[in-house]
Amino acid sequence: MAFNAIGLVVLVVFYLITLATGIWASQKSKKEKSKKPTEIAMVGGRNMNFSIGLFTATATWVGGGYINGTAEIVYLPSRGLVWVQAPAGFALALLIGGLFFVNPMRSKNYVTMMDPIQETYGNVMASLLLIPPLIADVFWFAAILASLGATMKVILDIQSYLAIIFSACTIIFYTLLGGLYSVAYTDVIQLVFMMSSLVRFSFFHFLQILGGIPWQTYFQRVLSASSAKQARLLSCLSGVGCFVMAIPSVLIGAVAASTDWNQTSYGLPTPSERGEAGLILPLVLHHLCPTYISIGGLGAIAAAVMSSGDSALLSASSMFAHNIYRKVLKKKATEKEVLWTMRLSMVAFGTLGAVMAFYSHSVYDIWFLGGELVYVLLFPQLCCVLFIPNTNTYGSAAGFLFGFVLRLLAGEPSLQISPVIHYPGCTLENGAYIQLFPFKFATMLTTLLTIISISYLTAFLFKRNILPCEWDVFQIVKEEHVLISLPQRENTGGCIKNEEL
């Protein structure tokens, strides 16, 4: 395999265009004099152009892990097309989010998806619940950097760590400058380039073919819309775009599965037999395509990485700066302090993600595991605060801990954790346990029911004075406003507050 100088030049030009766009967008954001600097950086001043919003919402989900992982799963003999859940899952998630979740979030002008949780359950519980989305964003950033590093190693014959470091630095730099404005406008360039490159590949192989709601990156887009109606439409349409953008990756995986690799420059054994299924997309581009298609595909993956990488960093840093620093660590922090906290945390999370990318063995596994943490632990919490009245901090804490333990006991093959709970259909294959039962859905549902039941149980026990008021460390009954006479108050067990008079 020879060093591809032309491909490297084309890639550097693309990076420079993206960087210039990010810098230009950051200058545009500084013209928004009437809005708070942190609000401009985190949600675009709630005045994002609809077309720009649609592009950035779609590009955010169509990342390197998305297109690489989809091709990998289609190609694997043990998986195949039926196991490709991300395109349909993300499309449905964006549709459901647009129909049910957007209006209660946008109408109250929240800044992050953690705001309603912090408002309902308090700072302590919100800080604990912030862990899954932070981990998920860092995992996501690592997965998409790993996919780019693997692609450049195959197509350009350069070390993957160089691609990871250079890409991470570029993403961090322009995201630091302009926040959501830089992310959104660079997403337009990246999505256009990605679409044109992948469509060219689809047409080239068409004749041969005939033979994942609760992410801050999502809410950051809908909260930047100028109205709830526009946010709903943006969410639904981006779901369609997300599904369509998966088609080229499915075709690439199908091409790889039907290819006689002995007739190519790659030779035998096949990628799956060599344990290189995670590299199937760059391998197809390099060994089965003309040079211009190969370089275009590399550009598409680079664009996908940037469009999702900057979103992941902005998401994690926004939640940390707004929900932890401003609301917990320093409640009287100035706008400048919060903005710099967001920037410093962005550098920290970006560095951590880049380091993790060096140790990624399967793009799909690390990406899927991050999303699973959000689905099992955070989604039930968000549903409760938005749609189920009177849930409280006791229920939230019980649901989080019980859900986490239940998920841990089910095991995780990618982390070599053997299951303690063997659900129906659990089998041992090649030394690893496979859970055929939909235990992740069951865990999420159990978490949801635990939050509701414990919330109502604790409220009943404290309000009826079955448990003493002094034990109510989260003060869930202090919000009650009941008009009672003074003799009645004197005869109560002590859980009636002064505010109730």
Side-chain angles (χ1 to χ4, degrees), residues 138-150 160-161 163-165 167-168 305 349-363 366:
V138 174
F139 276 9
W140 189 15
F141 187 62
I144 55 185
L145 283 179
S147 71
L148 180 62
S160 59
Y161 72 86
I164 291 172
I165 293 173
S167 300
V305 166
F349 293 138
T351 303
L352 178 60
V355 171
M356 290 179 61
F358 297 145
Y359 302 97
S360 169
H361 298 290
S362 174
V363 171
I366 193 172

Side-chain angles (χ1 to χ4, degrees), residues 359 361 365 369 407-420 428 430-434:
Y359 302 97
H361 298 290
D365 284 344
L369 184 61
R407 176 61 191 91
L408 190 64
L409 294 178
E412 179 51 54
S414 64
L415 298 179
Q416 298 182 341
I417 299 176
S418 299
V420 176
L428 183 63
N430 300 322
Y433 284 98
I434 306 298

Side-chain angles (χ1 to χ4, degrees), residues 97-142:
L99 294 176
F100 300 104
F101 287 83
V102 166
N103 191 59
M105 292 289 291
R106 181 62 184 84
S107 61
K108 294 186 178 180
N109 289 332
Y110 290 129
V111 175
T112 74
M113 71 171 179
M114 297 303 298
D115 282 352
I117 293 176
Q118 197 160 21
E119 191 178 85
T120 304
Y121 299 145
N123 289 335
V124 174
M125 198 61 223
S127 300
L128 183 63
L129 291 171
L130 191 62
I131 296 174
L134 284 181
I135 292 176
D137 281 332
V138 174
F139 276 9
W140 189 15
F141 187 62

